[in-house]
Amino acid sequence: MSDIINTTLIFESSIFAAPVYDITTVGDILWFFIILVLAIIIAKIVSLNLSRFLKDRVRKNDLNLITKAAYWLIFSIGFLTALPNLQVDLSGILVAGGVVGIIIGFAAQSVVANLISGIFLIFEQPLKIGENVLIEDTHIIVEDIRIFSTIGKTFEGIYVRIPNEKIFTTTITNYVANTARRFEYSVEIRYEDDAARAIEIIKALIEEEPFCLKNPGPSIYVDELAADGVIIKTRMWAPSEVWWDVRTTMLWKIKYALEEDGMEIPFPQRTIWVNPGEEDNTPSEPTPERDNAFKNRLQACKPSPPVFEKTVPEKKRQDYMISYNGPDESGKE
C-alpha cells in the first residue's frame, strides 16, 4: 500500500505536473507510454498462447493471420485507452469510427460472417482434415480448413471451396467421426431353400472376416416373406476407415457362398389359374361379315391411283375433234 502511495506522490510532484503542451503534463505522457507498453506485453502473451493452442489445428498461414489479428486488436484497445492521457478528445474519433464501421460492416458482411464462422469452426471442430463429410448436398473429403473457407475434394477428384458461413449454418454429416459404422444387405432366397442354413452360412462368413466387429455384433434374421422369395436381413459393423471395402467384399462373398451351397436368387413368378367351367364367348376367327366390313374400310382408306393424261400427236388429235357450230335446230320445227 505504501508503494502505491509513494508512486502516486512521485507522479504528483512538480516535475511530472509541469505542463509540456497545453495542459498535457509529463506525468500524462508517462502514463500514456506505460499503458501502451502494458498493452504490447498483453498482446504478445495472448498471441503466443493462441499460437501454441492452434498450432496443430490450423495451417501455418491462417495461424499467422489469427495471431497478428489478436495482437493488433489488443494493441488498438490499449492505444485508445492511453490516448485520453494526452488530452485527446476521442468523441470525434469514435463517431467517425462508428460511421466507418457501419459502412464497412454493410460492405463486407459476408467476409466478416465467414471470418467469425471460421473461428468457431476451428474451436468447435465439427469436422477435421481427412474426414469424409456431407455438407448440405456436397460430399467431400476435407483437405483444408481456412479462416474464410473450407477446401474439400469430391470422390471424382474435383476440389470444392465452401464458405465457412455455409458450413457453420447448415447440417454436417460426418461419416468417420464415429470409430465404427453399420451397413446392411437384403438377401433373397427361394422358398424351397433352407433359410436357417442360409443364416448359418452368412454368420460363418462374418465371423471369418477380421474387419467385421463383434461388439457391436452382427444381426441376421428373416425379415420378410416376399412374393418371390424369403428376404434375409443382414446387418454388421466395421471400422469407419475400411467400411466401404468391407461392404463391397462381403456382399460378393455371401452371394458366392450361397450359390456354392445350391441356393439361388429367385426370379419373379406368377401363377395363372384358368377355370374350365366358363365358356369363352369371344370368337376365335373373324366372321365373314366382319371380314367384308374390314376389307371395305381398308379399300376406302386406300388412295385412288393417279390418272395420267395420254399424249396424242397433233395430227390425230385434229381427226378426233368434232367441229361445233352451235345447237342443233333441226328438231325445233
Side-chain angles (χ1 to χ4, degrees), residues 23-24 32 79-80 82-93:
I23 59 174
T24 304
F32 172 79
F79 181 76
L80 294 175
L83 270 181
N85 292 284
L86 298 180
Q87 309 303 325
V88 177
D89 188 10
L90 297 179
S91 59
I93 299 176

Side-chain angles (χ1 to χ4, degrees), residues 206-323:
I206 294 175
E207 291 177 354
E208 292 175 0
E209 176 60 41
F211 288 110
C212 289
L213 302 181
K214 295 183 178 180
N215 188 18
S219 178
I220 310 165
Y221 57 92
V222 175
D223 184 58
E224 184 182 353
L225 301 178
D228 303 317
V230 179
I231 297 178
I232 300 174
K233 184 74 70 174
T234 303
R235 293 175 176 173
M236 63 194 80
W237 291 78
S240 299
E241 291 80 6
V242 294
W243 171 84
W244 180 256
D245 296 333
V246 177
R247 182 181 181 276
T248 53
T249 56
M250 285 300 298
L251 182 60
W252 176 254
K253 287 181 180 179
I254 291 173
K255 175 186 179 298
Y256 183 78
L258 293 178
E259 288 180 348
E260 285 291 316
D261 198 70
M263 302 183 186
E264 296 180 2
I265 298 175
F267 294 99
Q269 301 178 6
R270 297 293 180 269
T271 302
I272 301 175
W273 293 87
V274 180
N275 192 349
E278 294 182 357
E279 297 182 358
D280 191 2
N281 297 324
T282 305
S284 59
E285 295 181 358
T287 59
E289 294 80 5
R290 186 178 300 174
D291 192 15
N292 294 332
F294 174 74
K295 289 181 179 180
N296 294 333
R297 287 196 301 267
L298 183 62
Q299 187 67 27
C301 293
K302 288 184 177 180
S304 58
V307 179
F308 299 97
E309 183 181 358
K310 295 181 179 180
T311 57
V312 182
E314 185 67 24
K315 183 177 181 181
K316 291 187 176 183
R317 186 182 301 175
Q318 293 178 358
D319 296 339
Y320 291 127
M321 291 177 63
I322 301 174
S323 59

Side-chain angles (χ1 to χ4, degrees), residues 57-59 62 118 121-122 125 127-129 142-151 164:
R57 303 184 180 187
V58 185
R59 55 182 302 189
D62 294 338
L121 287 175
I122 291 171
Q125 289 188 328
L127 48 86
K128 298 178 182 178
I129 296 175
V142 180
E143 294 285 331
D144 196 4
I145 302 174
R146 300 178 181 177
I147 294 296
F148 297 101
S149 62
T150 297
I151 307 298
N164 286 335

Side-chain angles (χ1 to χ4, degrees), residues 30-291:
L30 287 177
W31 275 116
F32 172 79
F33 284 107
I34 289 172
I35 295 173
L36 209 60
V37 170
L38 289 175
I40 293 172
I41 293 172
I42 295 172
K44 283 283 187 182
I45 294 173
V46 171
S47 61
L48 287 175
N49 290 327
L50 198 61
S51 177
R52 292 173 184 173
F53 179 73
L54 300 176
K55 184 177 181 181
D56 299 328
R57 303 184 180 187
V58 185
R59 55 182 302 189
K60 188 176 180 181
N61 294 337
D62 294 338
L63 181 60
N64 189 21
L65 179 61
I66 293 173
T67 53
K68 284 184 177 181
Y71 176 86
W72 287 109
L73 178 62
I74 297 173
F75 178 80
S76 300
I77 294 172
F79 181 76
L80 294 175
T81 305
L83 270 181
N85 292 284
L86 298 180
Q87 309 303 325
V88 177
D89 188 10
L90 297 179
S91 59
I93 299 176
L94 292 177
V95 172
V99 174
V100 173
I102 293 173
I103 295 173
I104 294 175
F106 277 108
Q109 55 182 348
S110 60
V111 177
V112 175
N114 288 326
L115 175 62
I116 296 174
S117 300
I119 294 173
F120 278 107
L121 287 175
I122 291 171
F123 283 97
E124 187 180 353
Q125 289 188 328
L127 48 86
K128 298 178 182 178
I129 296 175
E131 290 184 340
N132 179 11
V133 298
L134 177 66
I135 300 173
E136 202 173 18
D137 56 350
T138 306
H139 204 163
I140 62 170
I141 298 173
V142 180
E143 294 285 331
D144 196 4
I145 302 174
R146 300 178 181 177
I147 294 296
F148 297 101
S149 62
T150 297
I151 307 298
K153 183 176 67 174
T154 64
F155 291 102
E156 293 80 13
I158 302 172
Y159 276 85
V160 180
R161 176 187 177 273
I162 305 175
N164 286 335
E165 181 185 7
K166 182 178 180 181
I167 298 175
F168 191 72
T169 56
T170 191
T171 302
I172 301 174
T173 304
N174 197 324
Y175 292 100
V176 294
N178 193 18
T179 55
R181 186 176 174 185
R182 193 189 74 179
F183 57 94
E184 64 181 37
Y185 306 123
S186 293
V187 182
E188 188 173 4
I189 60 175
R190 300 173 300 179
Y191 274 100
E192 55 264 28
D193 295 330
D194 189 357
R197 173 63 179 166
I199 292 175
E200 291 178 1
I201 293 174
I202 296 173
K203 188 178 294 184
L205 289 174
I206 294 175
E207 291 177 354
E208 292 175 0
E209 176 60 41
F211 288 110
C212 289
L213 302 181
K214 295 183 178 180
N215 188 18
S219 178
I220 310 165
Y221 57 92
V222 175
D223 184 58
E224 184 182 353
L225 301 178
D228 303 317
V230 179
I231 297 178
I232 300 174
K233 184 74 70 174
T234 303
R235 293 175 176 173
M236 63 194 80
W237 291 78
S240 299
E241 291 80 6
V242 294
W243 171 84
W244 180 256
D245 296 333
V246 177
R247 182 181 181 276
T248 53
T249 56
M250 285 300 298
L251 182 60
W252 176 254
K253 287 181 180 179
I254 291 173
K255 175 186 179 298
Y256 183 78
L258 293 178
E259 288 180 348
E260 285 291 316
D261 198 70
M263 302 183 186
E264 296 180 2
I265 298 175
F267 294 99
Q269 301 178 6
R270 297 293 180 269
T271 302
I272 301 175
W273 293 87
V274 180
N275 192 349
E278 294 182 357
E279 297 182 358
D280 191 2
N281 297 324
T282 305
S284 59
E285 295 181 358
T287 59
E289 294 80 5
R290 186 178 300 174
D291 192 15

